[in-house]
Amino acid sequence: MTPTSPETSHDPRTGLPTTTARPTSRAELERTMARAVAAAPTLSRAAPRDRARWLHTVADAVEGARGDLVRLADWETALGTTRLQGELTRTVAQIRFYADEAAAGYFLRVEHDTADGQTPSLTRVNVPLGPVAVFGASNFPFAFGVLGHDAASALAAGCPVVVKAHPAHLGVSGKLFGLARAALAAAGAPDGALGIVHGFETGVELVKHTDLAAVAFTGSQTGGMALWRLANERPVVIPVFAEMGTVNPVVVTPLGATRIEEVARGLVASFTLGHGQYCTKPGLVLAPKGSGLAARVAGELERLAPEPVMLTRRIADGVRSGVEAMRDAGATVAVQLGGDGPGWSAPAAVLEAPLAEVRAGSRLLEEVFGAVVAVAEYDAPEQVLATLTQLPGALAATLFAGPGEDPWAVRWLETLSGKVGRVVLDDWTTGAPLARAQQHGGPWPSTTQPTATSIGARALERFVRPVAFQGFRDELLPPVARRSNPWSIPCRVGGDWIRAGAS
Amino acid sequence: MTPTSPETSHDPRTGLPTTTARPTSRAELERTMARAVAAAPTLSRAAPRDRARWLHTVADAVEGARGDLVRLADWETALGTTRLQGELTRTVAQIRFYADEAAAGYFLRVEHDTADGQTPSLTRVNVPLGPVAVFGASNFPFAFGVLGHDAASALAAGCPVVVKAHPAHLGVSGKLFGLARAALAAAGAPDGALGIVHGFETGVELVKHTDLAAVAFTGSQTGGMALWRLANERPVVIPVFAEMGTVNPVVVTPLGATRIEEVARGLVASFTLGHGQYCTKPGLVLAPKGSGLAARVAGELERLAPEPVMLTRRIADGVRSGVEAMRDAGATVAVQLGGDGPGWSAPAAVLEAPLAEVRAGSRLLEEVFGAVVAVAEYDAPEQVLATLTQLPGALAATLFAGPGEDPWAVRWLETLSGKVGRVVLDDWTTGAPLARAQQHGGPWPSTTQPTATSIGARALERFVRPVAFQGFRDELLPPVARRSNPWSIPCRVGGDWIRAGAS
């Protein structure tokens, strides 16, 4: 590993440094991985209820440090204390959610088939994969950070976690890690359950490490795809669950356009939320010609006059180059505001695009990570389906429809749902609600594994794989696979779900 | 696409040609894919019960042609009519199994969360991926052929299938395809539900085709990894579910060795089954020194004196070079029989290997696809765990243990189950029983997706992905996602499984 200079986080409002971290050395990485490997069997053997207890202790600790965490995060991200208070509340709820889902045990997908003379007895259960590397996102220092969705769901599933701290918020990362380590130790979790590393090259070495079993990543296409390629070059290839930003289309039907004022106001609120730094930000809107959506959105943006301050200098630069690329792709700027403030300031912009330019391969179908949106108006609804089929895979989409069985909504929904992981009716994609049935992840290139989600009950299932036990008697089996069901988890037995206590 | 010469299947007993097929042209491939694309929405929209009905019609047709199919398959594979009668029975059962699993609807994993003031309503369901390419195996002309596990589970899940016919049994493939096309048409399935192509280059073009959504493969490491790499180079990467042959270790505990005669007889029956051409063939056995297992196995092989005839010339050559490679890796031949007959004759062999040579990277830990096994004896059970940790991922493993809580069995099971998809107690891995709880697929390199199985209830889940619908009312949603549950499929609602009829 080549020696590297320290990483530094900055105050985006001023561009001044906040926190510095020395890159993790090769020897430290080896020690961290050795601790994770040593912890893996303990985590795997622990009853899901015990892991849930550990995680609730972590959630308590995060809640207890709320004030410090929010102040530190606001300094390092400029996302504002209101948003960060909400994100911290959400993050604590997430940790508890994955703890409770683990304890509920559905993710283990236990299934028993009884021997019947011809066929031997078979039991299939999900087992933890082993140490998981988590690469947190820049835009959610809490919700996709050191203790975010990926880390909490991996721990809940029974895997040790090694976090690569995001360089944009080293202070928050270090603080969260310290809280969690202490809480896990106090709760009785093994020492290696959670580790942390710093530095770009160390992150690369982490993904290449023999003992690593999986990678979870939230962020840009560039970052996620690089990790995916790296993992595919390992002698033993491991899964990479990369959830990456996409354009997240919004489609307004002719009937949906009857409330175009509401759509315009909602769109501006959504695409400027967190300064446009949401992987679920709506980036492209199709609306009927004559609805005047582009002009209304431009007017609403001017009224609000946001002054985006981005998480990093690179992100701020990316907003400017992204708007240029959209212009090169045939869009015109309806309004562009701000971007000349101190620190990592960047503009907010509304662009208008001819529908004919919204086609496969166009830059208009790629994310610009910032408060930027393109509006394309269609002459007749018959044109829309052809445009929808050109869309690349995305995390989410919105459909604004009329009341009842809006005929265009029904026709477009099938195509839209073939392109995304989540379709929202008459509301916005930003802020994926925390719920069991949530799906945050869609077809390539929104994720590297279209069956994976980084939010919701199935998030745990990324970090387990099935093992079948054939012809075993209970006393040799781990508790999860015993027909006596000591953990009282739901089982499918002979084709039917049994809530608990199968025998 | 470069023009290629016709493919030819052979009678392995004589080496004489049986059936010839012209490679599918680029234009024919385009037409086949266009039909699959056109059929996809109909398949996807069809109620699982309707797809089940189509598949039962196909199963009836296969059963109705039993005599012809078995004769043709025996001519092209030399697997013998007894085995092929059994395989055909199993294949018909498989098609019905996936049909019934589709109708049961568990694979759709429908989950509803109700709006609660803070959180909007969310429903997540699995939707079919779209056209699936199926590359059948050489060694199971029925069970992993044109209508094998992959094709039947993909159709059941709602995906059109395009089969790349295996060149070793073109006659059987053509016959099965003709039967299935006619049966599907008679049952009312769309025309493009099932297609077939021939030729190596056409298979490559199929995997690269824009409209393809997934690949299922059963066969060698070389073939599966090549398809996986090919799919990873696509502009839109698609999942490859490759299930590949592995060494499938057998471990005999000191207590298990009390019945070493039974183990020796069972081992020879297992590793010579189908002339050793099972991806689940036991290839390496660890047994206590003094059990005399190697000598007993050699004696039993001499008594049976099998005369293996392999499926293809390449496979027969691979047996010879595989035995050589094992010798180069430190094993010695205890007995080697046959291999000098006509056609694709190959030897059967038992080798002895020093335990010290059974280590990561050794050729002793790779599959030899044929009736070849290596026996390594351990001095003390304390040595075994170190050897087990060196094993690469495998499809399955066997543990021969003593009665009750055999302490070594308990200790080794955890490590073994971390290496494989299925662990068998006191029995053999060959012939994965058809059961809901079956898991056929394990860690890399036994499969390219460790969470996938090509046998059992979860086989269907390879060909679907989750989509969440947020804030929708029933009338806009496809039937699968409606709270009125018109298909009466099981749902998870508010964290509990409801058998059917959630509202």
Side-chain angles (χ1 to χ4, degrees), chain B residues 332-348:
Chain B
T332 52
V333 173
V335 62
Q336 180 166 335
L337 299 171
D340 44 13
W344 314 146
S345 171

mmCIF file with all atom_site columns, all heavy atoms in Angstrom, chain B residues 332-348:
data_model
loop_
_atom_site.group_PDB
_atom_site.id
_atom_site.type_symbol
_atom_site.label_atom_id
_atom_site.label_alt_id
_atom_site.label_comp_id
_atom_site.label_asym_id
_atom_site.label_entity_id
_atom_site.label_seq_id
_atom_site.pdbx_PDB_ins_code
_atom_site.Cartn_x
_atom_site.Cartn_y
_atom_site.Cartn_z
_atom_site.occupancy
_atom_site.B_iso_or_equiv
_atom_site.pdbx_formal_charge
_atom_site.auth_seq_id
_atom_site.auth_comp_id
_atom_site.auth_asym_id
_atom_site.auth_atom_id
_atom_site.pdbx_PDB_model_num
ATOM 1   N N   . THR B 1 332 ? -1.387  -40.248 -5.039  1.00 0.00 ? 332 THR B N   1
ATOM 2   C CA  . THR B 1 332 ? -0.954  -41.462 -5.729  1.00 0.00 ? 332 THR B CA  1
ATOM 3   C C   . THR B 1 332 ? -2.196  -42.283 -6.091  1.00 0.00 ? 332 THR B C   1
ATOM 4   O O   . THR B 1 332 ? -3.191  -42.279 -5.363  1.00 0.00 ? 332 THR B O   1
ATOM 5   C CB  . THR B 1 332 ? -0.032  -42.321 -4.841  1.00 0.00 ? 332 THR B CB  1
ATOM 6   O OG1 . THR B 1 332 ? -0.698  -42.536 -3.586  1.00 0.00 ? 332 THR B OG1 1
ATOM 7   C CG2 . THR B 1 332 ? 1.282   -41.626 -4.575  1.00 0.00 ? 332 THR B CG2 1
ATOM 8   N N   . VAL B 1 333 ? -2.099  -42.977 -7.206  1.00 0.00 ? 333 VAL B N   1
ATOM 9   C CA  . VAL B 1 333 ? -3.249  -43.752 -7.676  1.00 0.00 ? 333 VAL B CA  1
ATOM 10  C C   . VAL B 1 333 ? -3.309  -45.081 -6.923  1.00 0.00 ? 333 VAL B C   1
ATOM 11  O O   . VAL B 1 333 ? -2.354  -45.864 -6.970  1.00 0.00 ? 333 VAL B O   1
ATOM 12  C CB  . VAL B 1 333 ? -3.160  -43.990 -9.196  1.00 0.00 ? 333 VAL B CB  1
ATOM 13  C CG1 . VAL B 1 333 ? -4.263  -44.929 -9.660  1.00 0.00 ? 333 VAL B CG1 1
ATOM 14  C CG2 . VAL B 1 333 ? -3.230  -42.661 -9.936  1.00 0.00 ? 333 VAL B CG2 1
ATOM 15  N N   . ALA B 1 334 ? -4.412  -45.315 -6.216  1.00 0.00 ? 334 ALA B N   1
ATOM 16  C CA  . ALA B 1 334 ? -4.598  -46.597 -5.526  1.00 0.00 ? 334 ALA B CA  1
ATOM 17  C C   . ALA B 1 334 ? -5.126  -47.632 -6.510  1.00 0.00 ? 334 ALA B C   1
ATOM 18  O O   . ALA B 1 334 ? -4.713  -48.794 -6.485  1.00 0.00 ? 334 ALA B O   1
ATOM 19  C CB  . ALA B 1 334 ? -5.567  -46.430 -4.350  1.00 0.00 ? 334 ALA B CB  1
ATOM 20  N N   . VAL B 1 335 ? -6.053  -47.219 -7.333  1.00 0.00 ? 335 VAL B N   1
ATOM 21  C CA  . VAL B 1 335 ? -6.545  -48.109 -8.376  1.00 0.00 ? 335 VAL B CA  1
ATOM 22  C C   . VAL B 1 335 ? -7.090  -47.255 -9.517  1.00 0.00 ? 335 VAL B C   1
ATOM 23  O O   . VAL B 1 335 ? -7.651  -46.180 -9.297  1.00 0.00 ? 335 VAL B O   1
ATOM 24  C CB  . VAL B 1 335 ? -7.623  -49.088 -7.834  1.00 0.00 ? 335 VAL B CB  1
ATOM 25  C CG1 . VAL B 1 335 ? -8.836  -48.341 -7.312  1.00 0.00 ? 335 VAL B CG1 1
ATOM 26  C CG2 . VAL B 1 335 ? -8.047  -50.086 -8.898  1.00 0.00 ? 335 VAL B CG2 1
ATOM 27  N N   . GLN B 1 336 ? -6.875  -47.747 -10.719 1.00 0.00 ? 336 GLN B N   1
ATOM 28  C CA  . GLN B 1 336 ? -7.414  -47.074 -11.901 1.00 0.00 ? 336 GLN B CA  1
ATOM 29  C C   . GLN B 1 336 ? -7.872  -48.155 -12.869 1.00 0.00 ? 336 GLN B C   1
ATOM 30  O O   . GLN B 1 336 ? -7.115  -49.074 -13.190 1.00 0.00 ? 336 GLN B O   1
ATOM 31  C CB  . GLN B 1 336 ? -6.349  -46.171 -12.536 1.00 0.00 ? 336 GLN B CB  1
ATOM 32  C CG  . GLN B 1 336 ? -6.858  -45.440 -13.780 1.00 0.00 ? 336 GLN B CG  1
ATOM 33  C CD  . GLN B 1 336 ? -5.940  -44.303 -14.212 1.00 0.00 ? 336 GLN B CD  1
ATOM 34  O OE1 . GLN B 1 336 ? -5.202  -43.734 -13.399 1.00 0.00 ? 336 GLN B OE1 1
ATOM 35  N NE2 . GLN B 1 336 ? -5.970  -43.984 -15.487 1.00 0.00 ? 336 GLN B NE2 1
ATOM 36  N N   . LEU B 1 337 ? -9.123  -48.053 -13.298 1.00 0.00 ? 337 LEU B N   1
ATOM 37  C CA  . LEU B 1 337 ? -9.750  -49.112 -14.103 1.00 0.00 ? 337 LEU B CA  1
ATOM 38  C C   . LEU B 1 337 ? -10.355 -48.538 -15.363 1.00 0.00 ? 337 LEU B C   1
ATOM 39  O O   . LEU B 1 337 ? -10.884 -47.429 -15.340 1.00 0.00 ? 337 LEU B O   1
ATOM 40  C CB  . LEU B 1 337 ? -10.899 -49.761 -13.323 1.00 0.00 ? 337 LEU B CB  1
ATOM 41  C CG  . LEU B 1 337 ? -10.586 -50.441 -12.007 1.00 0.00 ? 337 LEU B CG  1
ATOM 42  C CD1 . LEU B 1 337 ? -11.884 -50.806 -11.309 1.00 0.00 ? 337 LEU B CD1 1
ATOM 43  C CD2 . LEU B 1 337 ? -9.748  -51.691 -12.267 1.00 0.00 ? 337 LEU B CD2 1
ATOM 44  N N   . GLY B 1 338 ? -10.356 -49.322 -16.422 1.00 0.00 ? 338 GLY B N   1
ATOM 45  C CA  . GLY B 1 338 ? -11.096 -48.955 -17.633 1.00 0.00 ? 338 GLY B CA  1
ATOM 46  C C   . GLY B 1 338 ? -10.457 -47.797 -18.366 1.00 0.00 ? 338 GLY B C   1
ATOM 47  O O   . GLY B 1 338 ? -9.302  -47.431 -18.133 1.00 0.00 ? 338 GLY B O   1
ATOM 48  N N   . GLY B 1 339 ? -11.223 -47.220 -19.263 1.00 0.00 ? 339 GLY B N   1
ATOM 49  C CA  . GLY B 1 339 ? -10.731 -46.080 -20.026 1.00 0.00 ? 339 GLY B CA  1
ATOM 50  C C   . GLY B 1 339 ? -10.181 -46.472 -21.372 1.00 0.00 ? 339 GLY B C   1
ATOM 51  O O   . GLY B 1 339 ? -9.726  -45.614 -22.131 1.00 0.00 ? 339 GLY B O   1
ATOM 52  N N   . ASP B 1 340 ? -10.185 -47.776 -21.682 1.00 0.00 ? 340 ASP B N   1
ATOM 53  C CA  . ASP B 1 340 ? -9.632  -48.200 -22.959 1.00 0.00 ? 340 ASP B CA  1
ATOM 54  C C   . ASP B 1 340 ? -10.705 -48.788 -23.880 1.00 0.00 ? 340 ASP B C   1
ATOM 55  O O   . ASP B 1 340 ? -10.396 -49.453 -24.861 1.00 0.00 ? 340 ASP B O   1
ATOM 56  C CB  . ASP B 1 340 ? -8.503  -49.210 -22.744 1.00 0.00 ? 340 ASP B CB  1
ATOM 57  C CG  . ASP B 1 340 ? -8.886  -50.251 -21.695 1.00 0.00 ? 340 ASP B CG  1
ATOM 58  O OD1 . ASP B 1 340 ? -10.086 -50.318 -21.343 1.00 0.00 ? 340 ASP B OD1 1
ATOM 59  O OD2 . ASP B 1 340 ? -7.993  -50.981 -21.230 1.00 0.00 ? 340 ASP B OD2 1
ATOM 60  N N   . GLY B 1 341 ? -11.991 -48.515 -23.556 1.00 0.00 ? 341 GLY B N   1
ATOM 61  C CA  . GLY B 1 341 ? -13.074 -49.001 -24.406 1.00 0.00 ? 341 GLY B CA  1
ATOM 62  C C   . GLY B 1 341 ? -13.256 -48.106 -25.624 1.00 0.00 ? 341 GLY B C   1
ATOM 63  O O   . GLY B 1 341 ? -12.522 -47.125 -25.807 1.00 0.00 ? 341 GLY B O   1
ATOM 64  N N   . PRO B 1 342 ? -14.252 -48.410 -26.449 1.00 0.00 ? 342 PRO B N   1
ATOM 65  C CA  . PRO B 1 342 ? -14.541 -47.583 -27.620 1.00 0.00 ? 342 PRO B CA  1
ATOM 66  C C   . PRO B 1 342 ? -15.247 -46.291 -27.203 1.00 0.00 ? 342 PRO B C   1
ATOM 67  O O   . PRO B 1 342 ? -15.635 -46.134 -26.040 1.00 0.00 ? 342 PRO B O   1
ATOM 68  C CB  . PRO B 1 342 ? -15.466 -48.471 -28.444 1.00 0.00 ? 342 PRO B CB  1
ATOM 69  C CG  . PRO B 1 342 ? -16.154 -49.341 -27.441 1.00 0.00 ? 342 PRO B CG  1
ATOM 70  C CD  . PRO B 1 342 ? -15.180 -49.547 -26.325 1.00 0.00 ? 342 PRO B CD  1
ATOM 71  N N   . GLY B 1 343 ? -15.427 -45.383 -28.161 1.00 0.00 ? 343 GLY B N   1
ATOM 72  C CA  . GLY B 1 343 ? -16.170 -44.149 -27.896 1.00 0.00 ? 343 GLY B CA  1
ATOM 73  C C   . GLY B 1 343 ? -15.475 -43.272 -26.878 1.00 0.00 ? 343 GLY B C   1
ATOM 74  O O   . GLY B 1 343 ? -14.252 -43.221 -26.805 1.00 0.00 ? 343 GLY B O   1
ATOM 75  N N   . TRP B 1 344 ? -16.290 -42.608 -26.022 1.00 0.00 ? 344 TRP B N   1
ATOM 76  C CA  . TRP B 1 344 ? -15.740 -41.644 -25.063 1.00 0.00 ? 344 TRP B CA  1
ATOM 77  C C   . TRP B 1 344 ? -15.436 -42.339 -23.730 1.00 0.00 ? 344 TRP B C   1
ATOM 78  O O   . TRP B 1 344 ? -15.819 -41.871 -22.670 1.00 0.00 ? 344 TRP B O   1
ATOM 79  C CB  . TRP B 1 344 ? -16.672 -40.463 -24.840 1.00 0.00 ? 344 TRP B CB  1
ATOM 80  C CG  . TRP B 1 344 ? -17.294 -39.795 -26.040 1.00 0.00 ? 344 TRP B CG  1
ATOM 81  C CD1 . TRP B 1 344 ? -18.524 -39.239 -26.089 1.00 0.00 ? 344 TRP B CD1 1
ATOM 82  C CD2 . TRP B 1 344 ? -16.714 -39.552 -27.322 1.00 0.00 ? 344 TRP B CD2 1
ATOM 83  N NE1 . TRP B 1 344 ? -18.766 -38.690 -27.318 1.00 0.00 ? 344 TRP B NE1 1
ATOM 84  C CE2 . TRP B 1 344 ? -17.673 -38.870 -28.100 1.00 0.00 ? 344 TRP B CE2 1
ATOM 85  C CE3 . TRP B 1 344 ? -15.489 -39.872 -27.926 1.00 0.00 ? 344 TRP B CE3 1
ATOM 86  C CZ2 . TRP B 1 344 ? -17.448 -38.495 -29.438 1.00 0.00 ? 344 TRP B CZ2 1
ATOM 87  C CZ3 . TRP B 1 344 ? -15.263 -39.507 -29.254 1.00 0.00 ? 344 TRP B CZ3 1
ATOM 88  C CH2 . TRP B 1 344 ? -16.221 -38.825 -29.988 1.00 0.00 ? 344 TRP B CH2 1
ATOM 89  N N   . SER B 1 345 ? -14.751 -43.438 -23.794 1.00 0.00 ? 345 SER B N   1
ATOM 90  C CA  . SER B 1 345 ? -14.370 -44.198 -22.606 1.00 0.00 ? 345 SER B CA  1
ATOM 91  C C   . SER B 1 345 ? -13.359 -43.415 -21.759 1.00 0.00 ? 345 SER B C   1
ATOM 92  O O   . SER B 1 345 ? -12.507 -42.709 -22.294 1.00 0.00 ? 345 SER B O   1
ATOM 93  C CB  . SER B 1 345 ? -13.771 -45.531 -23.064 1.00 0.00 ? 345 SER B CB  1
ATOM 94  O OG  . SER B 1 345 ? -13.207 -46.221 -21.977 1.00 0.00 ? 345 SER B OG  1
ATOM 95  N N   . ALA B 1 346 ? -13.474 -43.543 -20.447 1.00 0.00 ? 346 ALA B N   1
ATOM 96  C CA  . ALA B 1 346 ? -12.519 -42.895 -19.533 1.00 0.00 ? 346 ALA B CA  1
ATOM 97  C C   . ALA B 1 346 ? -12.347 -43.773 -18.309 1.00 0.00 ? 346 ALA B C   1
ATOM 98  O O   . ALA B 1 346 ? -13.229 -44.569 -17.976 1.00 0.00 ? 346 ALA B O   1
ATOM 99  C CB  . ALA B 1 346 ? -13.019 -41.511 -19.121 1.00 0.00 ? 346 ALA B CB  1
ATOM 100 N N   . PRO B 1 347 ? -11.225 -43.656 -17.610 1.00 0.00 ? 347 PRO B N   1
ATOM 101 C CA  . PRO B 1 347 ? -11.030 -44.502 -16.436 1.00 0.00 ? 347 PRO B CA  1
ATOM 102 C C   . PRO B 1 347 ? -11.837 -44.041 -15.226 1.00 0.00 ? 347 PRO B C   1
ATOM 103 O O   . PRO B 1 347 ? -12.280 -42.902 -15.148 1.00 0.00 ? 347 PRO B O   1
ATOM 104 C CB  . PRO B 1 347 ? -9.527  -44.352 -16.151 1.00 0.00 ? 347 PRO B CB  1
ATOM 105 C CG  . PRO B 1 347 ? -9.158  -43.031 -16.719 1.00 0.00 ? 347 PRO B CG  1
ATOM 106 C CD  . PRO B 1 347 ? -10.049 -42.817 -17.904 1.00 0.00 ? 347 PRO B CD  1
ATOM 107 N N   . ALA B 1 348 ? -12.028 -44.978 -14.292 1.00 0.00 ? 348 ALA B N   1
ATOM 108 C CA  . ALA B 1 348 ? -12.463 -44.651 -12.933 1.00 0.00 ? 348 ALA B CA  1
ATOM 109 C C   . ALA B 1 348 ? -11.232 -44.812 -12.058 1.00 0.00 ? 348 ALA B C   1
ATOM 110 O O   . ALA B 1 348 ? -10.401 -45.683 -12.307 1.00 0.00 ? 348 ALA B O   1
ATOM 111 C CB  . ALA B 1 348 ? -13.569 -45.594 -12.483 1.00 0.00 ? 348 ALA B CB  1
#
